[in-house]
Amino acid sequence: MSTGVQPNANIQTISFRRPTNKPAESTAKPKNRHGGLLQDQLRRAQRAPWCPSWSAALRILLLIRVAGAMYSGIQDCDEVFNFWEPLHYLYKGYGFQTWETSPEYSIRSWAYILLHYLPVQITATFLGPEKRPAFFAVRIFLGLISSLCEVTFYRAVVDRVNYRVGRYVFFLLLFNAGMWTASTAFLPSSFAMYANTLAFAYALEPPSSSGTSRTLFATLAFATGAILGWPFAIAVAIPFVIEELLVPGTDKITPENQSSWFIGRWKRMITSAGVAALLVIPVVALDTLFYGKLTVVPWNIVKYNVFPDSQRGPELYGTEPAHFYLANMLLNFNVLVPFALFALPALAITHKVDNKRLGERYQYADKSSPYTLLALRLAPVYLWLAVMTLQKHKEERFLYPIYPLICFNAAVTIYLARGWLETAFIAVTSSPYKASRSTLFSQFTLSVVAASCILSVSRIMAHWKYYHAPMSVTHALEAAEVPRLLNVTGHVVLPPRVATEGRSKRHSDEDELPRIDLSLIADWGLRLCVGKEWYRFPGHFLVPDGVRVDWIKSEFDGMLPGHFAETPRDGGLLERVKGTRVIPKDLNDLNKEAPQLYVDVAQCDYLLDLDFPQHPTQAAHEPRYVADTATWERVECQPFLDAAHSPLLTRTLWMPGEIWQRRNEYGEFCLLKHKANVGKKEREHTVRRA
């Protein structure tokens, strides 16, 4: 600003000039949202649909994954006995041991289990020795890892494939019933899923000789999932390896540089694989420490499953028909299944009817076609399904490594089908303008994604409403029965019961209840028994310290877990090593029954059992304990779906309303109390006051 004096002394003027210290305008170009493999043909200049940023997507996903950690059930007894129980042993010095964790067979990695020890110890440090918080801390930790990998994958799809496809992937991952379970499952196949998801976030970038980060990071992620998790998961990386070694990607190949290019790609792949293979060293070192002998668990797993002798092998534990995985995918992915399986044919159709959908051709004809690049990214789902279907022994968790990739394949097909609709609309109307204004295409994609999300939520609710009873009922031992015992024997004094919402509770506000020292029952010698429902036992993390869990004889005649050699509960990991090195005498890899693991039912204080009163069945070793009211008393019972006598639709999905629910039939999953045994212990441990 400046002032000046004019000839007329009574007039002054003021002039303004632009500031000289104005910051320089940014020369950075906005990110091109049309730079991926798949290209929009309509509305290219309009505002892009909403795609959450990395941080926003992480926060949204975390809400769902933490909810899954808190409310999803444990669907596989292998998760309990091969992973939760060894972790519990590291924490408390006792727990169930399967033959797989015996040093004689050693096909479970202690290195993998140790990854989950940190959240347990953090919880013990800040929240005390109770086990239930540690259980959920581990699951929340798994949900966090899954969320980080999923969000990184989603953003890579947005940047490298197409922002619409990325948005579909985000919502499909967010609400999918399969991801609800797999994301927080304590299983090597879930760990392989995390690793594969992260690896694909890097692998979506087209290969190029100009940078090594794609090759190195993707190889490290694939190798981590295979070495530390499940060795067979490395098969998912085969298309990536083929692409890395043989596909030019964005490189220009000429006759003059073809040999050097080929050698350079192989050298880079071998170097990355060599770096990734270094992970074997700490894994083998830890497993060797815990088993007390040189142990390479990934090789042991491959040897047992691929090269078994005539008496051994995975088929001892059941076989399933070829359509098993298709049925499983329909349960977890519902309407997405045909889209996921039709991805490669859809790509071929797009090549014929909507050729521009895969973007502009590269400048050089000798570079890779975008169709080739996308086909290689869709191939792992087909490869994995083929490999798993050929195996006679099948389990739901074997598909976990490709769950996010199923969502990706489905999202690509949905997008390509949208392109067919656009092409057909323009062909009929001869008006790209009308096509750009039409809501038909967005309604199509919205209907598919919304239908999948609604059906998935219905499936998630079915798991909670129909099958969650074992976890809730087992927790009743700690939450209700042990406090009752301590109260009636005078060890603690609890507030009187009051009625709240039709139920009898000890206090109207449970948050104000005093914290009870459950260790007071440590010397009572309480025993919880499990019979025919052994495979639904949720693990020692939900059973209070001081309660021993044992098996009673049922009609099942296979191998059940034994007990780890107990070590001092206040001992550290070096104390636990003394127990993990012990070879148990009662365990075998032939799935042969070990009667010495059973106790007499008369020695049980509590019993977990399932009864179907509308369709009662019993056998010599499976009487109806619930009906024997002279011996047993109900502590807690909750409904459990009678799947054999419920219609397929209503047992598969949950919907609100009495009409839907009354089509199903239910049994009762119960925690029972042996009246005489518990009564005797109450009398023995009653506090005598002067």
Side-chain angles (χ1 to χ4, degrees):
M1 181 182 73
S2 65
T3 62
V5 179
Q6 301 297 321
N8 188 335
N10 295 322
I11 299 175
Q12 288 187 338
T13 62
I14 300 175
S15 62
F16 295 90
R17 63 169 178 253
R18 293 179 181 178
T20 58
N21 58 348
K22 181 179 179 181
E25 294 185 2
S26 174
T27 58
K29 293 182 179 180
K31 194 167 186 178
N32 180 17
R33 61 184 173 94
H34 299 294
L37 286 174
L38 292 171
Q39 299 281 310
D40 285 359
Q41 299 303 304
L42 299 175
R43 304 180 181 180
R44 290 176 62 89
Q46 295 182 13
R47 183 178 179 182
W50 177 74
C51 284
S53 65
W54 192 94
S55 59
L58 178 62
R59 292 193 290 269
I60 296 169
L61 258 174
L62 267 178
L63 290 174
I64 302 299
R65 295 296 171 250
V66 170
M70 300 301 294
Y71 297 108
S72 65
I74 298 178
Q75 298 186 18
D76 195 319
C77 62
D78 248 18
E79 181 180 352
V80 173
F81 297 125
N82 279 319
F83 304 102
W84 281 113
E85 288 298 291
L87 181 64
H88 183 274
Y89 179 73
L90 295 181
Y91 182 33
K92 292 292 185 178
Y94 68 96
F96 281 124
Q97 179 182 23
T98 62
W99 67 268
E100 290 99 322
T101 54
S102 167
E104 186 175 357
Y105 310 109
S106 56
I107 65 171
R108 298 297 179 215
S109 174
W110 284 103
Y112 168 69
I113 295 167
L114 276 170
L115 288 178
H116 306 77
Y117 188 63
L118 179 61
V120 170
Q121 285 299 98
I122 292 175
T123 307
T125 301
F126 292 101
L127 299 180
E130 287 85 354
K131 297 185 292 185
R132 185 176 171 85
F135 173 81
F136 287 108
V138 172
R139 299 188 101 193
I140 292 172
F141 169 73
L142 294 173
L144 172 62
I145 299 301
S146 182
S147 298
L148 290 169
C149 296
E150 290 174 67
V151 169
T152 304
F153 174 62
Y154 146 71
R155 288 305 309 180
V157 174
V158 170
D159 295 336
R160 300 294 181 183
V161 180
N162 180 272
Y163 61 97
R164 292 188 189 276
V165 176
R167 193 163 69 141
Y168 305 156
V169 166
F170 176 72
F171 285 105
L172 297 181
L173 290 173
L174 187 65
F175 294 105
N176 182 258
M179 291 299 299
W180 171 268
T181 301
S183 60
T184 57
F186 186 3
L187 287 166
S189 50
S190 282
F191 184 82
M193 180 188 77
Y194 308 153
N196 288 347
T197 305
L198 187 60
F200 261 81
Y202 293 105
L204 286 174
E205 180 183 353
S208 170
S209 298
S210 60
T212 61
S213 59
R214 171 190 189 266
T215 310
L216 179 60
F217 292 142
T219 304
L220 280 171
F222 280 127
T224 301
I227 295 170
L228 199 51
W230 196 26
F232 300 109
I234 199 64
V236 177
I238 291 176
F240 163 76
V241 175
I242 292 174
E243 180 183 18
E244 188 65 30
L245 296 179
L246 303 176
V247 177
T250 59
D251 291 338
K252 179 185 177 182
I253 308 299
T254 63
E256 292 77 17
N257 69 1
Q258 184 172 8
S259 297
S260 60
W261 174 88
F262 186 79
I263 294 172
R265 283 290 188 92
W266 275 79
K267 285 176 63 177
R268 188 172 69 180
M269 187 72 243
I270 293 172
T271 302
S272 298
V275 172
L278 294 176
L279 183 62
V280 172
I281 297 174
V283 171
V284 170
L286 285 170
D287 288 332
T288 298
L289 172 66
F290 276 85
Y291 283 119
K293 63 177 184 178
L294 180 62
T295 304
V296 184
V297 170
W299 165 244
N300 291 345
I301 294 173
V302 172
K303 182 174 65 174
Y304 178 81
N305 288 277
V306 180
F307 308 108
D309 60 33
S310 58
Q311 294 182 309
R312 294 169 175 81
E315 295 173 20
L316 286 174
Y317 304 94
T319 59
E320 299 292 344
H323 65 269
F324 174 83
Y325 287 127
L326 178 60
N328 176 264
M329 289 173 63
L330 287 171
L331 286 175
N332 288 314
F333 293 90
N334 46 72
V335 298
L336 298 183
V337 174
F339 287 95
L341 297 181
F342 197 65
L344 281 179
L347 186 61
I349 293 172
T350 298
H351 184 271
K352 295 293 184 183
V353 304
D354 191 17
N355 188 263
K356 293 182 179 180
R357 183 65 53 177
L358 268 79
E360 300 296 332
R361 290 291 181 176
Y362 287 117
Q363 181 179 357
Y364 302 102
D366 47 7
K367 288 187 176 181
S368 299
S369 163
Y371 290 92
T372 301
L373 297 178
L374 187 55
L376 286 167
R377 286 147 181 73
L378 299 173
V381 168
Y382 297 94
L383 176 63
W384 187 257
L385 284 174
V387 171
M388 290 295 106
T389 301
L390 290 174
Q391 312 308 310
K392 294 182 180 180
H393 178 63
K394 301 178 179 67
E395 297 191 38
E396 178 181 345
R397 70 178 190 271
F398 292 172
L399 287 190
Y400 286 2
I402 61 165
Y403 270 11
L405 304 185
I406 292 174
C407 293
F408 172 70
N409 277 34
V412 169
T413 306
I414 292 169
Y415 179 81
L416 295 179
R418 176 191 175 115
W420 305 340
L421 289 176
E422 292 176 359
T423 302
F425 189 96
I426 294 173
V428 171
T429 63
S430 300
S431 175
Y433 175 76
K434 289 182 179 180
S436 69
R437 305 296 296 175
S438 175
T439 61
L440 171 66
F441 319 118
S442 60
Q443 288 175 355
F444 163 72
T445 55
L446 176 62
S447 63
V448 175
V449 174
S452 175
C453 293
I454 292 170
L455 291 174
S456 286
V457 171
S458 178
R459 179 64 181 167
I460 290 168
M461 291 300 299
H463 276 297
W464 169 260
K465 294 287 188 178
Y466 300 160
Y467 303 111
H468 201 266
M471 294 183 71
S472 301
V473 169
T474 303
H475 176 56
L477 183 61
E478 175 182 327
E481 179 61 11
V482 170
R484 185 199 69 81
L485 287 175
L486 295 174
N487 185 60
V488 300
T489 56
H491 288 79
V492 300
V493 178
L494 297 179
R497 293 181 180 272
V498 295
T500 303
E501 297 181 359
R503 296 187 64 183
S504 176
K505 293 186 178 181
R506 288 198 174 276
H507 201 277
S508 60
D509 188 355
E510 292 186 354
D511 292 336
E512 297 179 12
L513 285 173
R515 188 170 183 175
I516 298 173
D517 183 5
L518 300 178
S519 65
L520 293 171
I521 63 165
D523 60 347
W524 288 36
L526 293 175
R527 173 175 275 145
L528 171 66
C529 292
V530 187
K532 69 179 188 292
E533 299 306 309
W534 63 269
Y535 55 95
R536 292 194 175 105
F537 174 63
H540 275 91
F541 270 100
L542 301 183
V543 177
D545 279 332
V547 178
R548 179 180 173 87
V549 183
D550 278 310
W551 309 120
I552 59 174
K553 174 61 182 170
S554 67
E555 296 301 312
F556 177 72
D557 59 358
M559 181 83 239
L560 287 175
H563 289 275
F564 278 106
E566 292 195 19
T567 54
R569 298 192 181 182
D570 57 352
L573 290 179
L574 293 181
E575 278 293 323
R576 304 293 181 254
V577 167
K578 298 177 182 178
T580 60
R581 294 181 175 187
V582 175
I583 298 177
K585 299 179 181 179
D586 302 328
L587 301 180
N588 63 78
D589 64 342
L590 300 174
N591 200 23
K592 288 185 177 180
E593 188 176 24
Q596 59 271 31
L597 297 178
Y598 302 134
V599 300
D600 192 295
V601 69
Q603 300 176 13
C604 302
D605 300 305
Y606 297 94
L607 176 67
L608 290 173
D609 198 36
L610 176 62
D611 185 66
F612 294 108
Q614 293 179 315
H615 303 279
T617 59
Q618 56 184 356
H621 298 293
E622 295 179 359
R624 293 187 64 207
Y625 295 105
V626 174
D628 183 7
T629 55
T631 306
W632 300 95
E633 178 184 331
R634 297 170 181 237
V635 173
E636 177 80 8
C637 290
Q638 292 191 10
F640 191 92
L641 184 74
D642 185 354
H645 297 93
S646 299
L648 175 63
L649 181 61
T650 56
R651 75 170 185 253
T652 300
L653 302 174
W654 178 89
M655 294 291 176
E658 183 181 350
I659 295 177
W660 185 278
Q661 297 306 319
R662 69 182 176 211
R663 295 173 63 86
N664 289 331
E665 295 190 16
Y666 294 87
E668 293 180 304
F669 195 93
C670 292
L671 173 65
L672 305 176
K673 176 178 67 178
H674 195 288
K675 293 180 179 179
N677 290 352
V678 175
K680 179 181 178 182
K681 290 182 178 179
E682 287 179 5
R683 292 188 296 272
E684 290 175 350
H685 294 88
T686 297
V687 176
R688 309 298 177 185
R689 303 186 186 276

